[in-house]
Amino acid sequence: RAVQGIGGGMIFASVFATLGDIFSPAERGKYLGLFTGTFSLASILGPTLGGFLTDHGGWRWVFYLNVPVSLIAMPAIWFNLPSRTISRRPKIDFLGATLLSAASVALLLALVWAGDKYAWGSTEIVGLIGASVVFLGLFIGQEFRHPEPILPLHLFRNRVFLMSNLIVFTFGAGVFGAFQYLGLFVQTALDRSATSSGVITTPQSVGVLITSVLGGQLIARLGKYKWQTVIGAGLIVVSMGMLRTVDVGMPIWRISATMFVLGLGFGMVLPTMSLVIQNAVPYQYLGVASSSSQFFRQIGSVLGIAVFGAILANTYHSEFSGRLSAEDRAAIGPAITQQLDDPTVKLNAGEFAVIKRQVSALPGGDEILKRATGAQAESISAGVRRIFTAALGAAVLSLIFAIAMQELPLRRSVSGPLPSAAQAGDGRRPPEPVVVPDHSVGG
């Protein structure tokens, strides 16, 4: 997963930086929209195919399938993507990258383990949080000292840069973090297959496809992006509010309809934020701006997953203990009770089949099993509702940041001067490196 993450981070940052290097901000919107639309089109097929492979061939085939796809993509990129030659060798901030990674990992481990492996006030959790703070302080000091920092801190004086990163951070924490648990709800509380889980969420990709392509075209023609960001953030707030009502009796079509609305909001916000942040910084910071946006979205998503995981676990434990009667607990015994006191136990078909056989073999076992699985479904529903309540709060914050974000005129050239409003908040600006176009195929 670490190797996969390194590769994924390089790809995503490079894609957005490459688009920024080829097209001016004024026309970049439609190409960012096309990229997001293509990504969404693949996402329409991906979850359904992945669920089908998991149900019928085993989850390993989800990974095997990516090997031939990657082998096709690598030569396609090598022979088709034009490269550019930089006249000087950059001084890469390896120490800054290491310190930032260490701070992030320590915080994430604390959030994942707190309340599960260790108590919140334990030495391990307090130590991890303290280590994260220390590494973050060292990272800030390193960024002030390094001539070419991996994340120039003076950029945060640029209000548009700051607001756009706050939008993608809260968006990642609330929406992406909560979205990970919808599949768990569908497969456990609604007792649907992995394939069905993929089909239910497919309308979200359809919504992204529609608004990302159309929104990019409108931005390129009108030169305005704030209204689109605000409307998209509003749609996300509405969809999060709708998902707060999930329960075991919810019809599938309502979830799919909600996911479509969520996808419409996705397509209006995500590609727009990439355009906004690139338009607000000088050309030499194009790659930094693109990677910072991806970083804050990803770190927000992982933080959201960790926090929401703790919410689900704590809610499920309290709900399940209250819904399963003492008589049923005594009948099935402490070992099976402990196994059932896990919201993900249904996802392991083999383990859950053994539990069902053991409970069904007891006197009145079928009724006990029915009550136990019903308690599980209701407990998971309660936990997921709390997750989407917290996600709604994050979505509202994203909407507030979108409203507060300043709209800058879109530049008509790739490396032209910043809009005057952005220059005021940019702070110090080192001279641009000389870039010589190299249009040879394959670089």
Side-chain angles (χ1 to χ4, degrees):
R1 292 290 289 171
V3 174
Q4 184 184 14
I6 292 171
M10 293 170 68
I11 289 172
F12 263 89
S14 298
V15 164
F16 288 103
T18 301
L19 289 173
D21 221 16
I22 297 174
F23 306 107
S24 69
E27 61 177 355
R28 197 177 300 158
K30 59 184 178 183
Y31 294 102
L32 285 169
L34 288 172
F35 165 78
T36 307
T38 304
F39 186 85
S40 302
L41 190 61
S43 300
I44 293 173
L45 178 63
T48 305
L49 180 59
F52 178 82
L53 291 172
T54 301
D55 287 337
H56 298 90
W59 58 266
R60 296 179 189 274
W61 280 99
V62 174
F63 297 96
Y64 293 151
L65 190 66
N66 282 278
V67 175
V69 173
S70 300
L71 292 176
I72 294 171
M74 290 168 64
I77 294 170
W78 180 262
F79 288 111
N80 290 285
L81 185 67
S83 65
R84 293 181 177 233
T85 302
I86 302 177
S87 60
R88 63 181 184 84
R89 183 181 294 274
K91 299 177 181 178
I92 301 176
D93 185 13
F94 289 109
L95 178 58
T98 303
L99 291 171
L100 182 58
S101 298
S104 303
V105 170
L107 179 60
L108 293 176
L109 287 176
L111 293 174
V112 170
W113 287 343
D116 183 16
K117 288 189 174 183
Y118 308 102
W120 278 96
S122 65
T123 304
E124 291 82 1
I125 300 303
V126 173
L128 283 169
I129 294 175
S132 177
V133 173
V134 170
F135 283 128
L136 182 61
L138 293 173
F139 167 74
I140 292 173
Q142 168 67 10
E143 298 309 276
F144 279 121
R145 288 192 301 269
H146 199 277
E148 297 183 35
I150 191 170
L151 183 60
L153 300 179
H154 67 88
L155 288 178
F156 288 97
R157 292 201 294 267
N158 183 320
R159 183 178 172 185
V160 178
F161 179 88
L162 175 63
M163 284 296 174
S164 58
N165 278 317
L166 285 174
I167 290 172
V168 296
F169 176 80
T170 52
F171 183 89
V175 180
F176 277 98
F179 181 68
Q180 307 301 317
Y181 294 96
L182 186 61
L184 173 67
F185 168 78
V186 171
Q187 294 181 60
T188 55
L190 301 185
D191 203 22
R192 299 298 180 110
S193 66
T195 305
S196 298
S197 177
V199 172
I200 289 169
T201 56
T202 294
Q204 180 241 336
S205 299
V206 177
V208 175
L209 175 63
I210 293 172
T211 51
S212 61
V213 175
L214 293 180
Q217 297 292 329
L218 287 174
I219 290 176
R221 293 190 180 190
L222 303 177
K224 302 289 184 181
Y225 56 79
K226 183 173 180 176
W227 65 270
Q228 181 168 305
T229 307
V230 172
I231 293 174
L235 289 173
I236 292 169
V237 169
V238 171
S239 62
M240 290 295 104
M242 294 167 66
L243 288 172
R244 283 184 65 245
T245 64
V246 296
D247 59 54
V248 292
M250 173 176 272
I252 294 299
W253 68 265
R254 279 187 56 188
I255 299 178
S256 295
T258 303
M259 296 308 296
F260 179 72
V261 176
L262 181 62
L264 294 176
F266 269 25
M268 299 178 81
V269 173
L270 284 186
T272 307
M273 285 301 97
S274 298
L275 170 65
V276 168
I277 201 168
Q278 290 181 352
N279 184 62
V281 300
Y283 175 76
Q284 68 264 31
Y285 294 128
L286 192 65
V288 170
S290 301
S291 58
S292 70
S293 180
Q294 296 300 313
F295 171 79
F296 282 109
R297 193 185 81 180
Q298 293 290 343
I299 200 69
S301 175
V302 178
L303 284 171
I305 291 172
V307 172
F308 293 151
I311 291 174
L312 177 64
N314 293 329
T315 303
Y316 180 85
H317 293 326
S318 62
E319 290 283 334
F320 185 72
S321 62
R323 293 178 185 276
L324 189 65
S325 66
E327 292 80 6
D328 288 341
R329 288 174 177 273
I332 63 179
I336 296 179
T337 299
Q338 185 176 4
Q339 287 179 293
L340 292 174
D341 195 18
D342 176 3
T344 65
V345 68
K346 274 190 173 182
L347 299 180
N348 189 328
E351 180 182 353
F352 194 65
V354 173
I355 294 173
K356 290 171 67 175
R357 284 197 302 269
Q358 291 175 336
V359 176
S360 296
L362 299 171
D366 290 340
E367 289 300 318
I368 295 175
L369 181 63
K370 183 178 179 180
R371 289 192 293 270
T373 53
Q376 279 187 307
E378 293 289 350
S379 301
I380 290 172
S381 296
V384 172
R385 281 195 294 272
R386 288 193 181 179
I387 285 175
F388 282 111
T389 299
L392 175 62
V396 170
L397 275 178
S398 292
L399 176 60
I400 293 172
F401 293 142
I403 294 172
M405 184 178 63
Q406 182 183 12
E407 183 168 40
L408 301 177
L410 295 177
R411 303 200 304 272
R412 294 289 173 181
S413 62
V414 172
S415 57
L418 287 177
S420 57
Q423 291 179 11
D426 177 61
R428 63 180 178 85
R429 228 181 293 156
E432 291 190 21
V434 178
V435 179
V436 180
D438 177 9
H439 299 291
S440 60
V441 174

